[in-house]
Amino acid sequence: MKNFSLLILFVILITSCKIKINKNNLQEDIFVDHVNPFLGTGGHGHTYPGATVPFGMLQVSPDNGVSSWDWCSGYHYSDSIVAGFSHLHLSGTGIGDLTDILFMPTNKKVDLTVKTTSRDQLPYKSSYSHANEKASPGYYQVYLEDPKINVELTSTQRTAFHKYTFAKEDKQAVVIDLGFAINWDKALKTALTIEDKYTISGYRFSTGWAKNQKVFFVAKFSKPISESVLTANQKIVSGTASEGEHTTAQLFFDAAGSDEVLVKVALSSVSIANAKDNLETESFNFENVKAKATTTWNTALNKITVETPVDSLKTIFYTAMYHTQLAPVTYSDKNGQFRKENDEIVTAKNYTAYSSLSLWDTFRAENPLLTLIAPDKVSDLVNSMLAYYDTKKILPVWTLYANETNTMTGYHSIPVIVDAYKKGIKGFDAEKAYTAMKTTMMQDERGLNLYKQYGFIPYNLLDESVTITLEYAYDDWCVAQMAKALGKNEDYQFFLNRSKAYQHLFDPKTGFMRGKSADGKSWNEPFDPKHSNHREQTDYTEGNAWQHSWFVPQNVEDFISLHGSNELFAKRLEQLFTESSEITGSNVSADISGLIGQYAHGNEPSHHIAYMFNRAGQPWRTQYWVRHILDTQYNTTPNGLSGNEDCGQMSAWYVFSSMGLYPMNPASGEYEIGSPIFEKATINLQDGKTFVIEAKNVSNKNFYIQSATLNGVPFNKTAITHQQIVQGGILHFVMGSEPNKNWGLTK
């Protein structure tokens, strides 16, 4: 009996340990373990695999040293050469910049006086293999084959940590190259100073996509510098400081005592003093910083939990969640200061300033997603945009390191602000925001003078006239909604009327939005809806008439009436997905990718389109095509994105759509119902509430909604409001293999 009791006790002990381990795994490991930072680093995804924390100021990541479109982030999975590890990177953009402040460990003295014109000439480059490369949220590791050095990287919000492990008794050295640049970037003025035996500092002023970028930095080493070589413009300089267009340094360390050299690096847009203030004061405990980064990411990824027996779906989902929290990036320093494009230094009071605002992309789903998973960041984003408005009296288009790049069409800071306001986000001046929106849409830059004069933009007066007109019409609708909410009825009527500009460009004979001349009558001829010409002598931005004729999310009912009927609209919409994928023209935009018929999921203008069947009385077609896109346009490989990630938008589409929701009109406060892919998805809301989406019987064949309930009450609508979600509750779907053509037809 005694032995039996001991056996029972032993079983209970083992079981309780197992339960505890499983519980800990669920809490600590499940989220980061399902993230693959290499997803999107191949193909045209343009993501980077390096280390950062959610919305962090630094993105410390490897650079291959290649200037080419697919190396916009500095890294592409097809490569096998690394030039070094710099501290600022763009996530999934279509233009390359940053890669500032390059560090590279080496085991030999290198000649930094040689003028290089390509990465092949860099004396410190190294080969590497993906077999000896790892990445997880907040951590990156690679083994440099030539110098036989293991590199590990991690980060806090404003400090990057490097750990270099050298071969025993090898020479230990680190190269810093402030002239290193790829793609559009070019160093103008740089400087390096060895402040003491552990500390270096400097700055890098450059031009590129961001015309006026100033980066100050400080770096501290775990070992004293035993020897140094500094250069300025390919000439060795004496002393402890160098300054020039292109400065470099090679620092040497005593190999005795340890095979490791650790470095921590902080940056600032303002000054070296601010970089020092941003630098973490804790010791060089790399593992501790890495663990904190992992914990931070676990918390961020825990905002939505999904349940599915299919591991690949978890990988795609949690990697998407990861990508949606890489940008925008922290820009203001620890003391709140940041530099504006005009070199004015201002202080963010009671908010954090952000940059890398890819608004043409992110207003569609990334920014609405943040209102659910990071609502505390949203007012900071609005205040950041209002700070940029203070400089030029126009809201930003695409801001990079506080520079207005004027990249892409429209003023889509406007829907981001309206979305935040309508969802009850506090912490910004609504009246100031409205003034900024109205002032922006009433000025004359970027074709608004033509838009105001003609009611649309004539194709013979400005390229990309159709896309620009449709997007200004949407921005007008957003201004109208804010005017209405603030009781500005005259403005409401004015902007609401102007938001119907799309009506001028709709051709009922072809069913397409087409370029129209200044006479208000003549179409742009000859017309080929499959024709693409990239960014010049074209009526469409990065696409063709098939992809750009559907952007009327603000008034789908009126848009359908222009076609003549629900049936004709749905027929044309279906043809978009079933038409041949041929794109005609001699200068086809590379952004047209991820084709399903003429639908191009690899670029943002297509992202809302599949959800428009809901408004035409055929929600089962939305369910079919959304599931088809989910299944075909995302996978777990480096080529797992069908187009540029674009600062989180490509992934935000997946996060929303895989749960069964999507903000088709991103400033409406509503989400369209699609086709949930998970058995259960739980949105963990800010106040402790949860909103659960259940999909009974869901499978790769059962993707049609048969019925639904919201908190136990029958739910027969194809849209749900943000307010319904944030109140908490359960949205329960029953799924099947055949469409229920009666579900969702209640207005």
Side-chain angles (χ1 to χ4, degrees), residues 70-84:
D70 279 331
W71 279 260
C72 281
S73 75
Y75 177 99
H76 195 265
Y77 198 79
S78 63
D79 216 322
S80 60
I81 301 294
V82 64

Side-chain angles (χ1 to χ4, degrees), residues 364-365 604 607-609 611 649 652-654 656-657 660-665 670-674:
R364 303 168 197 268
E604 281 69 23
H607 280 189
H608 70 289
I609 298 175
Y611 289 90
Q649 170 58 28
W653 189 95
Y654 189 91
F656 269 125
S657 295
L661 308 172
Y662 191 75
M664 181 183 71
N665 176 354
E670 288 188 339
Y671 306 94
E672 295 295 314
I673 303 295

Side-chain angles (χ1 to χ4, degrees), residues 12-201:
I12 291 171
L13 183 63
I14 292 296
T15 304
S16 67
C17 287
K18 189 172 183 181
I19 291 170
K20 186 176 181 181
I21 290 169
N22 287 343
K23 184 179 179 182
N24 285 344
N25 282 345
L26 180 67
Q27 185 177 351
E28 300 294 339
D29 298 327
I30 187 169
F31 308 116
V32 292
D33 285 353
H34 282 292
V35 174
N36 177 10
F38 292 108
L39 196 163
T41 60
H44 301 317
H46 296 185
T47 61
Y48 61 82
T52 188
V53 294
F55 313 106
M57 175 179 276
L58 303 183
Q59 311 82 38
V60 57
S61 189
D63 297 311
N64 298 130
V66 174
S67 289
S68 187
W69 189 55
D70 279 331
W71 279 260
C72 281
S73 75
Y75 177 99
H76 195 265
Y77 198 79
S78 63
D79 216 322
S80 60
I81 301 294
V82 64
F85 306 91
S86 65
H87 292 78
L88 296 174
H89 292 86
L90 289 162
S91 179
T93 57
I95 299 176
D97 202 338
L98 304 184
T99 66
D100 295 79
I101 319 298
L102 185 89
F103 278 54
M104 182 64 167
T106 185
N107 67 343
K108 63 183 179 182
K109 193 165 188 173
V110 297
D111 185 358
L112 296 174
T113 65
V114 177
K115 187 174 179 64
T116 59
T117 56
S118 73
R119 72 101 177 258
D120 295 334
Q121 299 168 327
L122 293 174
Y124 49 76
K125 71 181 186 301
S126 175
S127 58
Y128 68 98
S129 167
H130 296 308
N132 293 314
E133 183 185 33
K134 290 190 298 188
S136 60
Y139 175 72
Y140 174 83
Q141 174 272 324
V142 68
Y143 180 73
L144 303 180
E145 294 178 347
D146 299 333
K148 297 180 173 55
I149 299 170
N150 192 57
V151 175
E152 296 176 84
L153 308 171
T154 189
S155 188
T156 64
Q157 187 180 15
R158 292 185 175 88
T159 301
F161 287 74
H162 303 234
K163 180 181 177 182
Y164 309 139
T165 305
F166 294 80
K168 286 192 180 300
E169 299 181 4
D170 243 355
K171 187 182 287 290
Q172 298 179 2
V174 177
V175 172
I176 298 96
D177 188 346
L178 300 189
F180 175 82
I182 62 169
N183 292 314
W184 289 28
D185 182 45
K186 182 183 185 298
L188 297 175
K189 185 179 179 182
T190 67
L192 276 164
T193 300
I194 300 174
E195 295 197 357
D196 58 46
K197 61 184 180 180
Y198 291 101
T199 311
I200 66 167
S201 64

